[in-house]
Amino acid sequence: MAYTVTINGETREIDAPEDMPLLWVLRQELGMVGTKFGCGIGMCGACTVHVDGQATRSCSLPIGSVGDRQITTIEHLSQSPVGQALQQAWLDEDVMQCGYCQSGQLMSATALLNRNPNPSETEINSAMQGNICRCACYTRISRAIAQVAAEGTANV
Amino acid sequence: MFEAGIATSRRSFLKVTALAGGGLTLAASFPMAARAVAGEAAATAELNAFVTINPDNTITIVGKNPEIGQGIKTMLPMLIAEELDADWDQVRIVQGDSNAAKYGPQLAGGSFATPMNWIPMRQTGAAARAMLLAAAAQRWGVPAGELSTEPSVVVHASSGRRATYGELASDAAHVAVPDPASIQLKDGADFRIIGRAIGGIDSPKIVRGEGIFGVDTQLPGMVYAAYERSRVFGARLVSADIEAAKAAPGVINAFTVEGNGNAAELVDGVAIIASNWWLANKARERLNPQWDTGEWAGHSSAKYDADARALMAAGQPQEEFASKGDVDAALASATQVIEGEYSYPFLAHVAMEPMNCTALMREDGVMEMWAPTQIPQGGQASVAAYLGVPQDKVLVHITRMGGGFGRRLNNDYMMQVAAIARRMPGTPVQLIWSREDDVRTDYYRPAGWHKLRAGLDADGKIIGIEDHFVTFDINGGAFNPAAMPADEFPARYVSNVRYAQTKMRTAVPMGALRAPTSNAVAFVFQSFLDEVAHASGRDLPTLLLDIVEGAEPEPSTMGFTGPSAGFDPRRLRAVTRKVMEMANWGQPVAEGRALGFGYYYSHQGYFAEVVEASLTDRNQVAVHNVWCAGDVGAHIINPHGAMNQVEGSIIDGIGQALQLAVEIEGGAAKQSNFNNYQLPRMPMTPVIHAEFVLSDNSPTGLGEPALPPVIPALTNALFALTGKRVRNLPIDTSLFT
Ligand code: FES
Ligand code: FES
């Protein structure tokens, strides 16, 4: 099947079976490997992208159901002020160990701050609990999000 | 495999020298030959295998070890840059390929990298600096002794002359290579880079989503493979519907692969190759494979547990592996005998990046591989042996890895993709495992059972201790994760000891999981010692301090084969006292909460930890605070990476204690993915208060030693809270109702 989807503001033509998850379209049909495979069943968040701004598990989103919704991936994160501030906070806090989960963490964190610029610790926990970090960098992830919230980047 | 890699490297590159004090030191002889690009004045100069100085004054340093998230790609070059006196902002780091002759040992395991490389990497940097000094001395006609360095600049103070490393590089490449052992290394007080918190070198790429992990490898014309193997361990392939798989959408090829007879390398399976991995993986549904499972389908965790309990009850261990004095007499004469049975389950590694490897059978006969592996030289050797070619016909690029935790010390996925790629010369193949493949076909942390007895005299002193350890016969090599150290604490400090074991048969594959053996045995012994402490009216830290009272440092003898400096009870005392102070041990805690203590020495690191826990009204365990004091020597090389390892280890251990187990049913793993193998998530993260206790010892590794003590610290806290002793992992909270 041929599909036309909008990814990071660009129109892309894709020829793939309708039930192929967006994750595998991104990684292996389009060569956009920033979005990661962790579980394939929606349980880890490694594959998180934004669909119309909402954090969405791309491993569980068939290409056939994307329609005309806007897809944003980690490769485009620095285009948003909140995404850029989070990227910097991730470096300042030296958040990561292996780093494999971190594109998904950043996508979830960005979606959180975009809808709630000043989350409480409980709100950070509940927004981020779908993202597993096997290396368990949770303290630092949470601190980096709180730092960006305190800077107020999401309010501008 | 694990030990084999070290043994080979030690033969070739390391001299293990006994020191007067009974400790060991590692002296390296890395290849030091300079290979300049000769000619023009300002050329790139490769001063040795690790250091290249560029004319623009940037410096390229090779990170030789595999990066699994432990920060080694940043940390080893820091050691080189320190002694080179490099301007860190001008340093570029590149990952070295697998090459024993060029780089010496390349291993991510056993927390070995720091102790093995602390001196050699610094010598490498110091030798390069000496060459730059010699080049400047020649150019200016002054004695090298009058020269000094500032970051990336050679200075002649009395004449005010200065030259950057870049300006001197091509001259330096023609200078005789000094004997690294002859060069004075810096005094610790002069370190500028060691001890500085430096962010991970690849982190900027990662936050931008650049493809730097193994599974991100992209090559022109690459195809993707899935590998179907039996879920029942030890099974042989009888048949599969290859044609049906070939007819599936996107499938390019499918064929059977025969195992090489070594379950640690290659087992029977069916490879399916497609234009997209998702299509290859989906086509597995059509295979209808038939397996000969032999006797193994009847095996289960329930069976192992019942068999182990029966063996412990029968009390006739197969073999004693540590014995001194007369335990039976000691126990018979004891005022009190404490007894406890403990067990722990199989665990999976579940590194975040699923197992994968990319391979290309080149026309020149070289098998070129892009391998996320913790032991690349081992993988290179296995693949070469399998293909029947010399090792230089297998070229292994080491990729960054999304976690290792010991899983990638087994290179089965390298073997699988080599078996596939050899059938498809000229086409790059990327093998990817599903998460289900990963959980179901791991080399698990061995399950184990212990029956412990200790006899106390009237003063509460332990006069005899015995352990009947029921484990598995896993036919391991030099490193056996299902074995226990013969000198397991407190054996050295008790007069009558009997540690014995019985091994059960299994086909379940087992291997090293972060802090192998220690991650299980710490729970058993520190819980049991907590029982002993309570029985004798003390708390556990007091008991430990009593046990080692007056004890002197001893050289390592039994069991541990790493670069061990021997057990030092002074370091146990220091971390124990430190964490007691940090946690206000002995003072009242908040209503409904309790503290527990755990200590363990592993991988040359001494860690004492205190957990504060409570039970929620739904009878769930909540961990509020963890205090941790650790001693890994005189320097924390990179405080960023170091603290990250400690925090990660603590949360990892809490997750194991609370909710992780792989159960065997019908000869196969029951768990399959994160829905039924539930890793810790952000909301259960405690507040972690960790500090390092610096001691006058050379630095040792941090990938592992902070993990083991947190598990007994948690279960001991639950005992303090409820009076119920956790004897089996993971914690079954129905115990507390
Ligand atoms: S890969 Fe999509 S949630 Fe895990
Ligand atoms: S940093 Fe390794 S999984 Fe998160």
Side-chain angles (χ1 to χ4, degrees):
Chain A
M1 284 288 291
Y3 296 94
T4 304
V5 290
T6 313
I7 301 173
N8 298 336
E10 282 179 42
T11 306
R12 307 294 298 254
E13 306 293 333
I14 290 146
D15 185 14
E18 66 171 338
D19 52 349
M20 181 179 284
L22 176 64
L23 171 65
W24 298 106
V25 171
L26 289 170
R27 289 190 60 83
Q28 297 182 354
E29 302 297 321
L30 299 174
M32 298 170 68
V33 294
T35 305
K36 296 295 192 258
F37 167 50
C39 69
I41 60 165
M43 290 298 297
C44 77
C47 64
T48 305
V49 299
H50 293 173
V51 179
D52 283 347
Q54 298 273 345
T56 304
R57 310 297 182 228
S58 67
C59 70
S60 306
L61 180 67
I63 186 67
S65 66
V66 171
D68 56 6
R69 293 181 287 172
Q70 303 280 323
I71 308 293
T72 309
T73 70
I74 184 74
E75 286 89 349
H76 207 61
L77 190 66
S78 63
Q79 302 301 310
S80 92
V82 172
Q84 203 175 69
L86 283 164
Q87 286 172 320
Q88 190 55 49
W90 247 240
L91 300 178
D92 294 345
E93 290 287 338
D94 194 41
V95 160
M96 69 193 73
Q97 293 180 43
C98 80
Y100 190 80
C101 71
Q102 301 295 346
S103 50
Q105 306 277 3
L106 281 160
M107 295 308 285
S108 291
T110 306
L112 163 67
L113 291 187
N114 278 335
R115 71 168 189 273
N116 177 1
N118 274 306
S120 65
E121 195 185 319
T122 314
E123 286 168 336
I124 293 176
N125 276 337
S126 76
M128 299 302 293
Q129 69 179 340
N131 287 79
I132 291 175
C133 177
R134 171 65 179 95
C135 303
C137 307
Y138 296 122
T139 307
R140 288 157 190 251
I141 294 169
S142 168
R143 206 157 57 210
I145 295 170
Q147 180 195 314
V148 173
E151 285 163 4
T153 313
N155 287 318
V156 265
Chain B
M1 292 274 274
F2 183 58
E3 282 299 326
I6 295 162
T8 314
S9 58
R10 186 177 289 149
R11 249 197 326 277
S12 317
F13 301 100
L14 298 168
K15 289 190 302 246
V16 180
T17 319
L19 284 181
L24 294 174
T25 188
L26 294 163
S29 56
F30 291 111
M32 287 288 180
R35 276 158 302 196
V37 177
E40 323 98 74
T44 292
E46 190 178 335
L47 297 188
N48 58 46
F50 295 90
V51 178
T52 300
I53 314 259
N54 306 306
D56 65 358
N57 210 31
T58 59
I59 300 174
T60 306
I61 297 182
V62 171
K64 72 182 176 85
N65 277 15
E67 175 63 65
I68 56 176
Q70 82 283 45
I72 209 70
K73 188 177 171 188
T74 310
M75 193 270 259
L76 292 184
M78 285 171 71
L79 300 180
I80 295 173
E82 178 69 67
E83 298 287 346
L84 175 59
D85 215 12
D87 177 355
W88 181 258
D89 294 337
Q90 300 289 318
V91 169
R92 310 284 172 263
I93 299 175
V94 296
Q95 174 70 54
D97 288 340
S98 177
N99 190 332
K102 193 167 180 189
Y103 302 125
Q106 296 170 282
L107 167 77
S111 293
F112 281 127
T114 301
M116 284 174 83
N117 293 294
W118 170 245
I119 299 295
M121 286 290 110
R122 290 169 62 209
Q123 285 177 332
T124 300
R129 176 177 174 273
M131 291 163 76
L132 290 157
L133 288 177
Q138 246 170 38
R139 187 180 289 186
W140 297 330
V142 300
E146 290 181 9
L147 301 174
S148 59
T149 52
E150 289 170 11
S152 290
V153 179
V154 178
V155 178
H156 187 235
S158 56
S159 67
R161 275 177 290 198
R162 303 165 64 83
T164 66
Y165 286 5
E167 288 161 356
L168 293 166
S170 54
D171 285 3
H174 300 291
V175 164
V177 179
D179 170 12
S182 72
I183 305 167
Q184 180 74 35
L185 296 178
K186 279 189 185 176
D187 186 84
D190 299 328
F191 289 157
R192 292 185 301 103
I193 295 172
I194 292 172
R196 213 206 287 176
I198 292 179
I201 197 74
D202 287 333
S203 299
K205 291 182 180 164
I206 290 169
V207 300
R208 294 194 294 263
E210 290 180 28
I212 61 171
F213 296 93
V215 75
D216 299 337
T217 305
Q218 292 180 292
L219 299 167
M222 189 169 80
V223 296
Y224 298 91
Y227 195 78
E228 174 80 9
R229 50 168 286 184
S230 172
R231 287 183 54 193
V232 176
F233 300 110
R236 301 299 312 256
L237 179 65
V238 177
S239 65
D241 195 346
I242 304 289
E243 293 311 315
K246 278 187 179 167
V251 171
I252 295 162
N253 203 351
F255 45 82
T256 60
V257 173
E258 192 184 341
N260 72 344
N262 179 357
E265 292 189 338
L266 186 63
V267 296
D268 286 2
V270 182
I272 301 179
I273 296 94
S275 56
N276 185 303
W277 179 79
W278 184 77
L279 295 169
N281 196 52
K282 204 170 155 58
R284 292 165 71 176
E285 291 162 8
R286 304 185 178 209
L287 278 174
N288 187 27
Q290 302 299 313
W291 306 94
D292 175 5
T293 59
E295 64 176 304
W296 302 114
H299 279 225
S300 66
S301 287
K303 168 184 152 54
Y304 295 138
D305 190 64
D307 290 354
R309 307 259 174 216
L311 286 163
M312 290 191 295
Q316 306 272 310
Q318 273 166 355
E319 53 180 331
E320 292 182 4
F321 58 90
S323 166
K324 67 174 168 176
D326 184 341
V327 175
D328 297 320
L331 292 178
S333 72
T335 311
Q336 279 191 81
V337 174
I338 320 296
E339 190 172 311
E341 275 186 24
Y342 287 85
S343 76
Y344 42 83
F346 294 110
L347 291 178
H349 297 80
V350 288
M352 204 69 209
E353 178 192 9
M355 299 305 110
N356 68 90
C357 191
T358 306
L360 168 62
M361 187 74 236
R362 293 192 332 208
E363 269 152 37
D364 61 0
V366 170
M367 178 65 81
E368 186 170 5
M369 308 187 81
W370 292 261
T373 166
Q374 292 179 243
I375 183 162
Q377 293 169 9
Q380 192 179 1
S382 298
V383 169
Y386 174 66
L387 298 177
V389 299
Q391 283 193 36
D392 63 4
K393 293 285 184 201
V394 179
L395 169 58
V396 177
H397 308 293
I398 304 169
T399 69
R400 187 184 177 93
M401 279 160 266
F405 307 101
R407 175 59 183 84
R408 299 183 217 262
L409 291 168
N410 281 95
N411 289 315
D412 47 342
Y413 48 88
M414 282 182 80
M415 292 289 283
Q416 289 171 4
V417 76
I420 298 166
R422 78 187 298 192
R423 303 263 298 254
M424 307 180 68
T427 302
V429 182
Q430 183 170 93
L431 169 74
I432 305 175
W433 287 17
S434 66
R435 178 59 64 191
E436 288 78 7
D437 291 331
D438 175 57
V439 176
R440 287 173 179 155
T441 59
D442 199 348
Y443 296 88
Y444 303 97
R445 190 282 297 276
W449 295 259
H450 296 256
K451 180 172 182 174
L452 284 152
R453 296 172 76 209
L456 312 187
D457 68 13
D459 299 328
K461 183 174 153 57
I462 304 174
I463 54 172
I465 187 165
E466 73 167 355
D467 181 16
H468 181 182
F469 173 34
V470 178
T471 182
F472 294 98
D473 188 358
I474 63 167
N475 213 351
F479 177 74
N480 179 350
M484 184 187 118
D487 60 350
E488 182 62 35
F489 186 91
R492 287 164 200 245
Y493 307 103
V494 176
S495 307
N496 304 290
V497 177
R498 178 168 59 225
Y499 291 164
Q501 65 187 3
T502 303
K503 295 177 184 168
M504 303 189 293
R505 291 181 62 250
T506 186
V508 176
M510 293 176 226
L513 170 69
R514 188 182 212 174
T517 305
S518 313
N519 57 33
V521 175
F523 157 67
V524 173
F525 277 77
Q526 290 287 302
S527 298
F528 184 65
L529 288 173
D530 195 52
E531 295 196 60
V532 168
H534 280 280
S536 57
R538 284 169 287 184
D539 59 23
L540 178 56
T542 309
L543 172 69
L544 298 184
L545 294 171
D546 287 350
I547 289 174
V548 299
E549 166 105 45
E552 289 299 318
E554 287 184 41
S556 176
T557 48
M558 295 182 280
F560 194 73
T561 53
S564 169
F567 180 72
D568 187 343
R570 294 169 301 186
R571 302 175 76 183
L572 177 161
R573 284 185 212 119
V575 294
T576 298
R577 294 208 172 103
K578 177 71 184 176
V579 85
M580 289 169 79
E581 177 194 308
M582 288 166 68
N584 271 321
W585 181 261
Q587 301 303 308
V589 295
E591 177 71 23
R593 299 184 181 183
L595 301 185
F597 175 91
Y599 151 83
Y600 210 67
Y601 163 68
S602 70
H603 301 273
Q604 319 311 304
Y606 298 73
F607 278 81
E609 297 174 15
V610 170
V611 164
E612 184 192 49
S614 69
L615 287 173
T616 67
D617 39 11
R618 286 182 303 154
N619 203 38
Q620 296 299 302
V621 174
V623 179
H624 304 280
N625 286 284
V626 179
W627 293 269
C628 166
D631 175 359
V632 289
H635 299 279
I636 301 301
I637 299 166
N638 184 354
H640 260 339
M643 207 48 98
N644 229 331
Q645 287 303 305
V646 170
E647 291 167 359
S649 297
I650 286 171
I651 297 168
D652 199 352
I654 291 170
Q656 290 178 14
L658 291 179
Q659 57 203 34
L660 293 179
V662 168
E663 297 157 280
I664 304 299
E665 268 184 15
K670 183 176 160 192
Q671 282 68 25
S672 56
N673 203 322
F674 296 133
N675 54 338
N676 47 28
Y677 196 76
Q678 299 194 20
L679 289 172
R681 291 173 184 269
M682 187 184 280
M684 64 183 273
T685 307
V687 181
I688 296 170
H689 318 263
E691 287 185 42
F692 293 107
V693 176
L694 301 182
S695 66
D696 190 19
N697 296 281
S698 65
T700 53
L702 272 170
E704 300 168 280
L707 187 153
V710 76
I711 299 172
L714 172 54
T715 55
N716 292 340
L718 293 170
F719 179 81
L721 187 69
T722 65
K724 302 281 173 46
R725 179 62 62 189
V726 175
R727 289 206 172 82
N728 307 297
L729 293 180
I731 296 166
D732 175 2
T733 54
S734 67
L735 188 66
F736 309 124
T737 49

